[in-house]
Amino acid sequence: MSLLSDRSRSFPSDFVWGSATASYQIEGAAQEDGRGPSIWDTFSHTPGKVEGGDTGDVADDHYHRYVEDLDHIKGLGLDAYRFSIAWPRVQPGGAGALNDKGVDFYKRLLDGLLERGVRPVATLYHWDLPQELEDAGGWPVRDTALRFADYATAIVGALGDRVHTWTTFNEPYCTAYLGYASGVHAPGRTNGADALAAVHHLNLAHGLAGRIVRDLAPTAELSVTLNLAVIRPASDSAEDAAAVRKLDNIANGAFLGPMLEGKYPADLLTQTAHVTDWAFVQDGDLATARVPIDVLGINYYSTILAGHWDGTGERQQADGHGDSAATPWVGVDDVNFLLQPGPYTAMGWNIEPQGMTDLLLRISREYPDQPMMITENGAAFDDEVSPDGRVHDPLRVDYLYRHIDAVGAAMEAGADVRGYFLWSLLDNFEWAYGYSKRFGIIRVDYNTLERTWKDSAIWYSKLIATDQLPDVTSAAE
Ligand code: IFM
């Protein structure tokens, strides 16, 4: 029973309730209808990279079952659905003409959403880079940003009028740092200088593509989704405050700065001078990166606890994401990542709804005119199917209640938050964790691919219908 269950928060009637997925995590059909290979196909097929040797070859088979999934979307009452377009499906190889069959899939998906009265929010890039572009250097090379602009021109031209909101990138932090620094994500490289070059080319690509969206789809909204970090200091000391500032520059300022202000935080350049000279930043790039967006997408799951490491004793590297072996942070060898107090989700991430409120209020303080949306929030837990065939997931319901309540608290304190997208609609391929972690509010049986609403789905549909937080026990009734 949640401590919060005795009160109920309401949301404005125009607040957008959504749910989110991503192409490689749900589509499957990895070799069908002309789709080319992505870095995630290569990575997941490389032994030892993904838990259980899982791949996205079949995933949720959404490519074939999208009509059923559209009906679930409608059944839940979602106002909006956030999905991503697989670049290698629509432009195999990352260059040249579009693949009609791939584009047709997204046209059918979009038409299905529009017929059901659901607002489509399309992300251009959720991590599945065409393998050929990685072979040519990947995000650390400038040409990838130019290829991305070409892809954006082609796909926005083909789909533009059907999409309500175009999102350039999902979590460029992960693309750059997990892909090129810690190597726990595709393409699995481990070079700090490459990671910072990737940061810059992602910022540049965001600006280029954003301008293309503005030109080709003038009535659409433009956004980008960042997984902004909430970093707590280990103590009140000046050293710990400095450690937090360093991390903040890497995780947040490296993207917020260029995209919203047209500049990198000055400290970021100095604190990483031993890693790179930033010579890849060319004149005009930062002006390009800053393109006005209608809504800033924010993904929030948990917090980070950091402190200064003086070089003595063992360095602590619990990075708040349950992954102590390979920290993605670049050039911060003097920082300790401390184990957070629980409770935790099945990912080992600490549950801290207050972080959601704090983050939204921080962004509204720093960027007062920038509307925001929570584009991802949710939790993996070890769900079980009950003998009655249902999935009772009270921990997830409680997590959602507390975090959505925390969004409401931020709004009450003045934050301009326009909507909330729950991660995720379906259980799916959780990257390096394969299918071992279930984030969905709809369970997917990976043997039969059957979909079953969990209690959290029932609970969320009640919230959507009433714009009011239902009691946490109501779904299990
Ligand atoms: O599954 C991911 C998603 O692809 C990006 N944001 C975080 C989710 C949970 O790890």
Side-chain angles (χ1 to χ4, degrees), residues 41 59 68-69 125 186 256 269 305 332 346 386 407 410 415 422 429 448 472:
D41 295 289
E68 180 187 347
D69 293 338
Y125 186 83
L256 287 171
L269 306 190
L305 184 61
V332 288
S386 296
V407 174
L422 197 161
F429 177 82
T448 62
V472 291

Side-chain angles (χ1 to χ4, degrees), residues 383-406:
D383 302 321
E384 280 175 21
V385 182
S386 296
D388 62 4
R390 291 178 58 180
V391 181
H392 302 297
D393 57 344
L395 295 176
R396 183 175 291 104
V397 172
D398 196 65
Y399 178 101
L400 294 172
Y401 186 109
R402 289 165 182 271
H403 284 79
I404 295 171
D405 192 51

Side-chain angles (χ1 to χ4, degrees), residues 60-277:
D60 293 343
D61 195 31
H62 170 74
Y63 189 75
H64 297 114
R65 293 166 198 254
Y66 73 95
V67 175
E68 180 187 347
D69 293 338
L70 284 168
D71 289 340
H72 286 301
I73 288 168
K74 176 75 181 161
L76 285 162
L78 295 181
D79 300 316
Y81 174 60
R82 173 175 178 256
F83 66 99
S84 76
I85 295 168
W87 186 353
R89 192 180 292 290
V90 298
Q91 194 186 40
L98 289 183
N99 170 31
D100 287 342
K101 286 189 172 166
V103 175
D104 283 348
F105 167 69
Y106 294 107
K107 284 186 177 163
R108 293 195 300 275
L109 179 69
L110 286 163
D111 289 343
L113 289 168
L114 295 171
E115 278 157 20
R116 289 165 179 78
V118 180
R119 174 190 290 194
V121 177
T123 301
L124 285 168
Y125 186 83
H126 196 128
W127 307 354
D128 36 6
L129 184 71
Q131 181 61 44
E132 287 84 343
L133 296 185
E134 171 58 22
D135 295 343
W139 284 109
V141 306
R142 189 178 181 88
D143 192 54
T144 302
L146 308 182
R147 298 278 68 74
F148 184 74
D150 286 351
Y151 153 63
T153 303
I155 198 68
V156 175
L159 304 176
D161 58 339
R162 292 168 163 96
V163 173
H164 179 279
T165 304
W166 283 102
T167 302
T168 53
F169 285 95
N170 177 74
E171 301 181 351
Y173 167 101
C174 296
T175 298
Y177 300 128
L178 304 189
Y180 294 97
S182 70
V184 298
H185 277 191
R189 284 159 62 180
T190 51
N191 180 301
D194 283 348
L196 293 175
V199 165
H200 182 63
H201 297 134
L202 288 158
N203 284 322
L204 176 63
H206 161 76
L208 293 169
R211 281 150 215 279
I212 288 159
V213 170
R214 287 283 184 235
D215 283 352
L216 298 183
T219 58
E221 296 202 345
L222 176 64
S223 77
V224 62
T225 280
L226 304 178
N227 53 326
L228 298 174
V230 178
I231 308 159
R232 311 283 197 207
S235 77
D236 293 340
S237 72
E239 288 91 347
D240 287 349
V244 169
R245 265 199 310 281
K246 273 189 170 181
L247 297 188
D248 188 59
N249 287 334
I250 295 271
N252 301 328
F255 302 102
L256 287 171
M259 290 180 184
L260 298 187
E261 299 175 52
K263 60 180 192 213
Y264 284 108
D267 291 355
L268 174 66
L269 306 190
T270 47
Q271 79 188 49
T272 56
H274 61 295
V275 179
T276 180
D277 59 7

Side-chain angles (χ1 to χ4, degrees), residues 21-22 25 82 126-127 170-171 174 185 225 227 299-301 321 347 349 375-380 423-424 428-431 433 437 439:
T21 62
Q25 295 182 273
R82 173 175 178 256
H126 196 128
W127 307 354
N170 177 74
E171 301 181 351
C174 296
H185 277 191
T225 280
N227 53 326
N299 295 354
Y300 174 80
Y301 291 92
H321 283 199
M347 298 292 282
W349 299 351
T375 37
E376 282 183 31
N377 173 245
W423 184 271
S424 178
N428 59 49
F429 177 82
E430 178 53 25
W431 308 111
Y433 296 90
K437 305 292 179 210
F439 272 90

Side-chain angles (χ1 to χ4, degrees), residues 222-367:
L222 176 64
S223 77
V224 62
T225 280
L226 304 178
N227 53 326
L228 298 174
V230 178
I231 308 159
R232 311 283 197 207
S235 77
D236 293 340
S237 72
E239 288 91 347
D240 287 349
V244 169
R245 265 199 310 281
K246 273 189 170 181
L247 297 188
D248 188 59
N249 287 334
I250 295 271
N252 301 328
F255 302 102
L256 287 171
M259 290 180 184
L260 298 187
E261 299 175 52
K263 60 180 192 213
Y264 284 108
D267 291 355
L268 174 66
L269 306 190
T270 47
Q271 79 188 49
T272 56
H274 61 295
V275 179
T276 180
D277 59 7
W278 293 79
F280 41 77
V281 181
Q282 297 188 7
D283 284 353
D285 283 0
L286 290 167
T288 300
R290 183 188 187 191
V291 52
I293 50 175
D294 297 296
V295 65
L296 174 65
I298 296 176
N299 295 354
Y300 174 80
Y301 291 92
S302 65
T303 59
I304 290 164
L305 184 61
H308 173 69
W309 183 51
D310 63 7
T312 61
E314 200 181 334
R315 186 175 173 223
Q316 298 177 52
Q317 293 195 63
D319 70 355
H321 283 199
D323 182 3
S324 56
T327 176
W329 307 88
V330 177
V332 288
D333 300 335
D334 55 350
V335 175
N336 263 333
F337 296 86
L338 301 155
L339 187 65
Q340 308 254 38
Y344 308 99
T345 69
M347 298 292 282
W349 299 351
N350 65 306
I351 300 176
E352 212 221 286
Q354 184 61 40
M356 171 79 93
T357 309
D358 293 351
L359 176 58
L360 289 166
L361 291 178
R362 173 194 169 174
I363 298 302
S364 25
R365 256 192 325 271
E366 292 181 11
Y367 304 101

